[in-house]
Amino acid sequence: MYQLDVTLRRGQNLAARDRGGTSDPYVKFKLGGKEVFRSKTIYKNLNPVWEEKACILIDNPREPLYIKVFDYDFGLQDDFIGSAFLDLTSLELNRQTDVTLSLKDPHYPDHDLGSILLSVLLAPREEQREVFQTQSLRLSDLHRKSQLWRGIVSVTLIEGRELKAMDANGLSDPYVKFRLGHQKYKSKIVPKTLNPQWREQFDFHLYEERGGIIDITVWDKDAGKKDDFIGRCQVDLSTLSKEQTHKLEMPLEEGEGCLVLLVTLTASAAVTISDLSVNSLEDQKEREEILKRYSPTMMFHNMKDVGFLQVKVIRAEALMAADVTGKSDPFCVVELNNDRLLTHTVYKNLNPEWNKIFTFNIKDIHSVLEVTVYDEDRDRSADFLGKVAIPLLSIQNGEQKAYVLKNKQLTGPTKGVIYLEIDVIFNAVKASIRTLMPKEVKYIEEENRLSKQLLLRNFIRMKRCIMVLINAAYYVNSCFDWDSPPRSLAAFLLFLFVVWNFELYMIPLALLLLLAWNYFLIVSGKDNRQHDTVVEDMLEDEEEEDDRDDKDSEKKGFMNRLYAIQEVCVSVQNILDEVASFGERIKNTFNWTVPFLSWLAIVALSVFTIILYFVPLRYIVLVWGINKFTKKLRSPYAIDNNELLDFLSRVPSDVQVVQYHELKQDPSHSPSKRKKNNPG
């Protein structure tokens, strides 16, 4: 066993593959037919400088390292620039060597395609054991810098104008793909139009100080076959001034029409990675600054900055063994919406200690913190070891806690626990206002696929919601039929009283009383509702179904042959999920599943009751109509939203309640708890 340390220095005089006479090169290393390294992409440069390091384990030094260089093309197949082989047997052991490799194309052996410069060090594995074990520490600074962003790029996709018709009816079903480095975003599909209105807003992280290039491609959606390419354009962020909103009309290359965008570059949010010795909240001065930033006096300053989150990833215990040696190489991924940070890898260990502190800015207090543990593999994608999902509103500040790791679906336990200590500081007024605004879309989502169990689960969930309405109708009808004379008499007298004295303000007042009644039941301990095991059972069945589907998909491509039917079934499956979730979210609002949201509903209903009591209805309708008619005149590029639906989107459905439910810990893992004074 040998270890090869490779530093990819730079490229010289690479071949141009783009129409502008340049290329966007990146490099792949392959060993034994498997990809072991891929560099970042350097845009518009024939003499790129990478300065990237790779550590590769070599089983057989007689097997050469295959190096391939490509030109990146977003939305299209990447162009091959050239390749070279590094003969490992020609290297002197334990000596760093600078190597220049000329790139060749087997189809055009006489073409000059440029060269790649490397620094390589080959050493026996035994002599490098200590270096290898501490590799994560040596590279931790580089690792930390590579994943911290220096700014935020806020993009608003407004509209498209006079796009190319791709369908037989003379229209298109356009959608847009954005890419900045490894970050991607896909817009919604606007059917049957050449002048689509999207009005979607999203943020990218900016990792390079000089900017970067956003690749944009426009596509026409076609059911059952490959989508049609409409056109492409690019936004060079280095040409845009910061802290200013730019309106861009981007003509499409290789197509017709243009896109209208709003792009804003802002300074970086307070996102950091540090060791346990560097703790912002334990430094009294920094803590006071953070508390001041989110104090009630700052409630109308920078409305997007709702709060501050600090996550200490301390250690894990009794993890699953993912390697044939009975060990794992675990690392941890911490995610908050689209913010994603990683720890270093601890090699050959089932009880790793990371001792890292991550800090995030909170844009939505209803976000869910996801912590996932993976096993690093040098020649394939990382193996999943376990995951926990923690709603920010459920966090108890300053408590070191052992969380039982769950499976991918978050429905049941897997092996191991992870020790975390989390602190959340936020401004309640900002958080309440942000609740009534559109929820941030998560860019990296798994593709929806057809599942018999998932379809059945969503059908049962919707059926339960409908049955509530049917049972209510039966109850009212039984009052009409005098099945129970005392009940019917009471209902009749209540009906006469309400109808005779009815005022519009009584509607929010009735909802307010229902919330208050449920709160009284919970506080007094008379709430007899059982934990919803029906959804939990269905989720466990779905997990088994997913495993079977994965095995079946390897044996037969049945779903591929029925792509169009599958797409329709997935749409039905998703509609059932949306309808069921809507009903469950309303129920969970009144059930005080998230107390913050239920208190917010009480405040809103109290205000509505008072307004309806004192203000005539015609004035309320007049103000509402004037606001709606003048909204586009006052703010032409405003993104449409419905405050009630935005509020309900923050309330968890029954499925999410099960996923976020904290599992009981094994008594053998009793975490050491230490409480600190909670500032608020």
Side-chain angles (χ1 to χ4, degrees):
M1 179 75 77
Y2 294 83
Q3 179 176 321
L4 179 68
D5 289 324
V6 185
T7 302
L8 173 62
R9 298 290 186 195
R10 60 186 182 275
Q12 290 183 340
N13 303 320
L14 300 184
R17 292 293 187 244
D18 293 339
R19 297 197 329 190
T22 183
S23 290
D24 306 320
Y26 67 90
V27 181
K28 287 182 178 181
F29 293 167
K30 286 193 170 185
L31 193 67
K34 296 179 180 179
E35 182 179 322
V36 293
F37 171 79
R38 174 171 173 162
S39 75
K40 65 183 179 183
T41 302
I42 305 294
Y43 293 94
K44 298 187 181 304
N45 201 325
L46 298 181
N47 296 281
V49 177
W50 284 284
E51 292 296 338
E52 293 187 51
K53 296 182 180 180
C55 178
I56 304 169
L57 293 183
I58 306 296
D59 295 324
N60 181 10
R62 294 185 180 84
E63 194 168 31
L65 181 69
Y66 188 26
I67 299 161
K68 301 178 76 174
V69 185
F70 292 89
D71 166 54
Y72 169 74
D73 284 322
F74 178 64
L76 304 171
Q77 185 174 357
D78 294 346
D79 298 320
F80 176 70
I81 293 180
S83 63
F85 288 94
L86 176 62
D87 183 5
L88 302 183
T89 59
S90 66
L91 300 178
E92 186 177 343
L93 291 179
N94 299 314
R95 181 178 178 181
Q96 184 144 331
T97 309
D98 293 330
V99 179
T100 300
L101 300 173
S102 298
L103 298 177
K104 298 294 181 183
D105 186 340
H107 298 98
Y108 306 98
D110 298 331
H111 287 196
D112 182 12
L113 305 175
S115 59
I116 292 291
L117 278 69
L118 309 172
S119 290
V120 294
L121 172 64
L122 182 66
R125 176 72 173 85
E126 290 74 20
E127 294 183 19
Q128 295 255 342
R129 185 181 305 276
E130 184 178 347
V131 176
F132 180 68
Q133 288 176 344
T134 60
Q135 175 198 3
S136 59
L137 299 178
R138 290 191 294 106
L139 298 180
S140 60
D141 289 338
L142 178 66
H143 174 80
R144 181 160 41 235
K145 291 175 182 176
S146 68
Q147 56 175 316
L148 291 180
W149 47 95
R150 303 173 185 272
I152 302 293
V153 184
S154 179
V155 181
T156 303
L157 173 61
I158 303 297
E159 62 186 4
R161 297 175 184 170
E162 300 178 358
L163 300 182
K164 187 176 181 180
M166 305 303 293
D167 296 338
N169 57 9
L171 299 172
S172 292
D173 306 313
Y175 66 92
V176 185
K177 290 181 178 180
F178 296 82
R179 178 163 180 166
L180 177 61
H182 65 278
Q183 303 169 89
K184 300 178 184 179
Y185 179 79
K186 180 180 175 181
S187 77
K188 65 185 179 184
I189 300 167
V190 182
K192 295 182 173 52
T193 181
L194 299 180
N195 297 282
Q197 295 282 326
W198 283 287
R199 299 187 183 274
E200 297 182 41
Q201 191 275 331
F202 59 94
D203 294 336
F204 278 153
H205 296 144
L206 190 60
Y207 291 88
E208 301 177 28
E209 283 191 19
R210 65 176 183 273
I213 293 177
I214 301 180
D215 289 305
I216 306 170
T217 53
V218 186
W219 301 82
D220 167 56
K221 180 66 177 177
D222 285 323
K225 59 180 182 179
K226 189 176 180 181
D227 295 347
D228 298 320
F229 176 73
I230 295 179
R232 66 184 296 170
C233 60
Q234 291 183 328
V235 178
D236 188 351
L237 299 177
S238 63
T239 63
L240 303 180
S241 56
K242 294 184 178 180
E243 309 299 337
Q244 183 180 345
T245 299
H246 305 267
K247 181 184 176 184
L248 306 178
E249 295 186 13
M250 307 295 298
L252 295 179
E253 301 174 8
E254 306 173 34
E256 301 173 6
C258 68
L259 294 179
V260 180
L261 310 171
L262 298 180
V263 181
T264 308
L265 275 66
T266 57
S268 174
V271 180
T272 63
I273 306 175
S274 60
D275 296 320
L276 281 182
S277 57
V278 184
N279 188 342
S280 299
L281 293 181
E282 287 183 359
D283 185 303
Q284 190 62 32
K285 187 176 179 181
E286 286 193 43
R287 186 181 187 87
E288 288 176 359
E289 288 181 2
I290 293 170
L291 290 173
K292 183 179 178 181
R293 195 194 315 166
Y294 302 109
S295 65
T297 58
M298 304 292 286
M299 65 177 69
F300 297 114
H301 177 73
N302 191 2
M303 296 301 295
K304 287 188 176 181
D305 187 11
V306 171
F308 173 86
L309 172 68
Q310 177 178 280
V311 183
K312 293 183 183 179
V313 181
I314 301 168
R315 67 184 188 278
E317 292 181 356
L319 294 180
M320 186 189 310
D323 298 338
V324 292
T325 59
K327 298 286 185 179
S328 291
D329 303 322
F331 67 95
C332 199
V333 179
V334 183
E335 294 177 90
L336 185 69
N337 290 335
N338 293 303
D339 296 347
R340 187 174 190 267
L341 298 174
L342 292 75
T343 68
H344 59 278
T345 303
V346 179
Y347 292 95
K348 308 298 179 188
N349 204 322
L350 299 181
N351 301 285
E353 291 191 13
W354 292 289
N355 293 321
K356 293 295 179 185
I357 298 179
F358 301 87
T359 65
F360 299 88
N361 268 87
I362 299 172
K363 292 180 276 188
D364 188 347
I365 195 59
H366 309 289
S367 302
V368 177
L369 176 69
E370 295 183 357
V371 182
T372 312
V373 183
Y374 292 97
D375 168 63
E376 181 185 296
D377 281 314
R378 66 182 181 91
D379 55 358
R380 62 178 188 273
S381 60
D383 295 325
F384 175 85
L385 296 180
K387 181 178 182 179
V388 291
I390 310 165
L392 297 186
L393 284 171
S394 69
I395 290 169
Q396 296 177 341
N397 283 1
E399 180 181 0
Q400 186 184 127
K401 202 170 185 180
Y403 291 88
V404 177
L405 293 174
K406 295 184 177 182
N407 53 33
K408 284 185 180 180
Q409 288 75 26
L410 295 170
T411 56
T414 187
K415 195 176 180 193
V417 295
I418 185 167
Y419 287 80
L420 306 173
E421 184 180 324
I422 312 173
D423 288 271
V424 176
I425 298 173
F426 68 98
N427 184 293
V429 176
K430 286 185 183 181
S432 301
I433 295 173
R434 185 69 181 84
T435 303
L436 304 178
M437 297 179 181
K439 191 175 182 180
E440 183 180 3
V441 178
K442 194 164 184 180
Y443 310 145
I444 305 175
E445 292 282 7
E446 289 188 9
E447 288 282 335
N448 289 322
R449 63 176 182 178
L450 182 59
S451 164
K452 292 177 289 184
Q453 200 65 31
L454 181 59
L455 191 62
L456 177 62
R457 184 196 80 185
N458 291 341
F459 175 77
I460 294 174
R461 288 171 60 207
M462 193 178 77
K463 180 181 175 183
R464 292 170 69 200
C465 294
I466 293 174
M467 287 304 298
V468 172
L469 300 177
I470 293 175
N471 291 334
Y474 278 136
Y475 184 84
V476 172
N477 194 56
S478 69
C479 293
F480 293 152
D481 293 340
W482 292 83
D483 292 342
S484 172
R487 185 178 65 195
S488 296
L489 180 60
F492 180 59
L493 295 176
L494 180 63
F495 170 77
L496 293 176
F497 176 79
V498 170
V499 172
W500 184 257
N501 297 283
F502 179 76
E503 296 289 346
L504 199 60
Y505 72 86
M506 292 182 180
I507 296 176
L509 180 61
L511 297 175
L512 189 63
L513 292 174
L514 179 58
L515 270 167
W517 174 251
N518 283 340
Y519 180 72
F520 169 75
L521 290 178
I522 293 172
V523 170
S524 62
K526 296 180 180 178
D527 182 21
N528 295 322
R529 288 170 296 157
Q530 298 295 321
H531 180 64
D532 194 348
T533 57
V534 177
V535 174
E536 194 167 349
D537 292 342
M538 286 190 290
L539 283 169
E540 290 174 358
D541 292 342
E542 180 193 332
E543 182 192 347
E544 295 174 4
E545 179 71 19
D546 285 344
D547 294 339
R548 288 196 296 270
D549 287 346
D550 289 340
K551 294 174 183 176
D552 292 343
S553 63
E554 295 174 2
K555 297 177 182 177
K556 53 184 181 180
F558 181 70
M559 288 302 179
N560 294 330
R561 295 196 296 271
L562 296 177
Y563 178 83
I565 298 176
Q566 176 183 348
E567 193 168 16
V568 173
C569 292
V570 167
S571 299
V572 173
Q573 178 176 283
N574 293 339
I575 290 171
L576 290 173
D577 178 57
E578 289 177 11
V579 174
S581 295
F582 184 78
E584 291 166 356
R585 293 177 199 278
I586 294 174
K587 177 199 71 174
N588 290 336
T589 301
F590 287 95
N591 283 349
W592 292 79
T593 301
V594 182
F596 182 92
L597 291 171
S598 297
W599 279 116
L600 188 59
I602 281 185
V603 172
L605 290 172
S606 300
V607 172
F608 292 154
T609 301
I610 294 170
I611 291 174
L612 289 171
Y613 184 79
F614 288 105
V615 182
L617 182 61
R618 67 174 68 87
Y619 293 122
I620 298 173
V621 175
L622 192 63
V623 171
W624 174 83
I626 292 173
N627 174 63
K628 285 293 184 183
F629 277 105
T630 60
K631 189 173 183 180
K632 289 289 189 237
L633 300 177
R634 289 182 281 113
S635 183
Y637 301 118
I639 298 175
D640 294 329
N641 72 298
N642 183 297
E643 287 78 5
L644 179 59
L645 295 180
D646 290 335
F647 171 85
L648 288 174
S649 70
R650 273 37 177 236
V651 182
S653 65
D654 286 352
V655 172
Q656 291 172 320
V657 168
V658 173
Q659 291 175 335
Y660 303 156
H661 176 67
E662 188 178 329
L663 297 178
K664 291 183 179 179
Q665 301 165 14
D666 191 312
S668 61
H669 297 291
S670 55
S672 57
K673 296 183 180 180
R674 59 181 187 87
K675 293 279 186 175
K676 298 186 295 188
N677 292 330
N678 188 346

